[in-house]
Amino acid sequence: MLNIISNVLRGSANRNGAELVREGSRVVVASRTYADFTPQATFDIKKCDLHKLEEGPPLQAVLTREEGLQYYRTMQVMRRMELKADQLYKQKIIRGFCHLYDGQEACAVGIESGINRTDHLITAYRAHGYTLTRGGTVREIMAELTGRRGGIAKGKGGSMHMYAKHFYGGNGIVGAQGQIFETYNMAALWKLPCIFICENNKYGMGTSVERAAASTDYYKRGDFIPGLRVDGMDILCVREATKFAAEHCRSGKGPILMELQTYRYHGHSMSDPGISYRTREEIQEVRSKSDPISLLKDRMISNNMASVEELKEIDVEVRKEIEDAAQFATTDPEPPLEDLCNHIFSNEPPMEVRGTNPWAKLKSIS
């Protein structure tokens, strides 16, 4: 199909993957419509390691073009959002603790695509990605990081304490997950429909898992609870494993444990440069060989499910969304002083809590 249009620069493209070529005084567009793309494809995925399971998730996954574009965009939003947070932190606009999620995007997006929005989720303090998949907006997340009134926790939670419907936020207390074995036990005794997930990004703060654990088979740590070890850099592996785990729980078989083998590109937090206990070459090798966004992009392009131009257009849209959110997060007002003692209890009981109450009069001493 040929169309003639004017006033278009060389090298641009439309959302259908149209390629523009200048011929003399006119511009001819050689258009690829959506019908030209493969609507869905089946991919071989890595086999999961199993613990106390006779069979595991399938070894193939079906991906539709619509799903692929959605996954690609969401992971790109996460990646760009975290890179912008890095920049704002270094400019001292974001203060305090800040734990970034770039590199682990396939975990949050894959898990969300394998469960229902009505399912309940809680995570540790690397929570930005889950806040997004659970329904938070980029503006709300960025504004929370900068401590502004428009943040998802009204500017009072920061990086570690974000919440959304059916999402109970990040747990910011280091070691607070130490009761995990008691929890395993109770969940197994009562056959609770609970999926336990370890996002094994290879390092606990600045210590590699090999130096910290005599056994790095975290998917077996539930002992009497069945477990899966999953390629956490492949969104299709994570999605299929999560679907399998969810069905296991919903069928009344009790809890299940998943270890997602992934990697974080940043340090433990913004105070950690991330290269004192690992090399730049190690990080670059992961980026070049198993980056979750690149893996999905290559699959879609090589199977004619999207064009390079179409994905570039998504990248442009994402960058604009992030910049708009950052602008909001740096201009939105901070919470007023009179609001800082509120929301301790939902019904604001007339009692003091650690010296504060909803009627406390505060004043700034800055």
Side-chain angles (χ1 to χ4, degrees), residues 56-337:
L59 300 181
Q60 290 187 323
V62 176
L63 177 70
T64 67
R65 168 179 152 81
E66 183 179 356
E67 289 171 339
L69 293 175
Q70 176 193 338
Y71 299 161
Y72 179 82
R73 191 183 196 285
T74 305
M75 289 197 291
Q76 278 287 32
V77 168
M78 284 185 191
R79 178 69 57 84
R80 293 290 171 183
M81 181 174 68
E82 300 299 67
L83 294 178
K84 175 57 68 172
D86 172 272
Q87 179 184 348
L88 294 178
Y89 195 96
K90 290 172 179 174
Q91 294 172 351
K92 297 186 177 181
I93 296 173
I94 295 175
R95 308 300 291 266
F97 295 102
C98 186
H99 302 85
L100 302 182
Y101 197 67
D102 50 320
Q104 299 182 217
E105 295 91 353
C107 297
V109 181
I111 289 169
E112 190 65 53
S113 61
I115 59 176
N116 302 326
R117 185 55 67 87
T118 53
D119 292 325
H120 303 272
L121 191 148
I122 185 170
T123 187
Y125 46 71
R126 204 174 302 279
H128 305 168
Y130 288 103
T131 307
L132 183 70
T133 62
R134 289 271 95 184
T137 67
V138 179
R139 281 166 64 101
E140 290 173 326
I141 295 169
M142 296 299 294
E144 189 59 41
L145 289 171
T146 57
R148 306 304 173 111
R149 192 165 57 190
I152 199 163
K154 302 184 186 300
K156 300 179 184 180
S159 175
M160 296 191 291
H161 306 287
M162 299 186 185
Y163 308 89
K165 190 172 183 179
H166 302 306
F167 174 58
Y168 303 100
N171 189 330
I173 307 300
V174 176
Q177 297 86 358
Q179 302 92 341
I180 190 68
F181 294 103
E182 290 92 332
T183 308
Y184 286 163
N185 184 62
M186 185 173 289
L189 284 173
W190 292 356
K191 291 193 177 298
L192 299 180
C194 182
I195 304 173
F196 296 100
I197 298 174
C198 168
E199 287 189 52
N200 179 6
N201 60 24
K202 311 300 183 185
Y203 294 92
M205 299 185 75
T207 304
S208 67
V209 295
E210 290 81 10
R211 291 179 56 212
S215 171
T216 58
D217 292 336
Y218 295 106
Y219 71 110
K220 296 180 180 179
R221 291 287 187 93
D223 190 12
F224 35 77
I225 295 178
L228 299 167
R229 182 157 59 191
V230 185
D231 182 355
M233 302 298 273
D234 184 343
I235 188 171
L236 296 184
C237 283
V238 177
R239 186 190 71 179
E240 295 306 309
T242 304
K243 287 181 178 179
F244 175 88
E247 177 57 30
H248 175 95
C249 292
R250 298 189 206 281
S251 65
K253 296 178 182 178
I256 193 168
L257 171 60
M258 293 203 305
E259 176 190 345
L260 307 182
Q261 293 192 314
T262 183
Y263 197 85
R264 57 170 163 82
Y265 293 155
H266 269 85
H268 167 71
S269 69
M270 285 301 298
S271 61
D272 167 21
I275 54 173
S276 59
Y277 50 85
R278 59 182 181 176
T279 63
R280 296 181 190 274
E281 289 73 23
E282 176 184 310
I283 302 170
Q284 186 54 42
E285 183 178 13
V286 175
R287 284 183 179 274
S288 63
K289 293 183 178 179
S290 56
D291 181 80
I293 298 176
S294 297
L295 286 175
L296 177 62
K297 178 180 179 179
D298 293 344
R299 273 176 170 155
M300 294 190 70
I301 292 175
S302 62
N303 285 271
N304 192 39
M305 300 181 76
S307 67
V308 173
E309 294 78 16
E310 184 177 23
L311 297 182
K312 284 182 179 178
E313 185 175 340
I314 292 176
D315 295 345
V316 171
E317 293 173 357
V318 167
R319 288 191 184 97
K320 184 179 186 305
E321 180 180 0
I322 300 302
E323 290 302 323
D324 290 345
Q327 177 66 22
F328 174 74
T330 54
T331 57
D332 190 50
E334 295 181 353
L337 280 174

Side-chain angles (χ1 to χ4, degrees), residues 20-54:
L20 306 175
V21 182
R22 186 175 296 279
E23 292 187 356
S25 62
R26 67 178 187 173
V27 176
V28 179
V29 56
S31 179
R32 295 176 64 194
T33 67
Y34 288 123
D36 294 328
F37 292 112
T38 304
Q40 74 175 39
T42 301
F43 297 96
D44 294 330
I45 56 177
K46 186 177 178 180
K47 183 180 180 180
C48 296
D49 296 319
L50 308 180
H51 171 64
K52 290 189 178 297
L53 289 167
E54 293 184 1

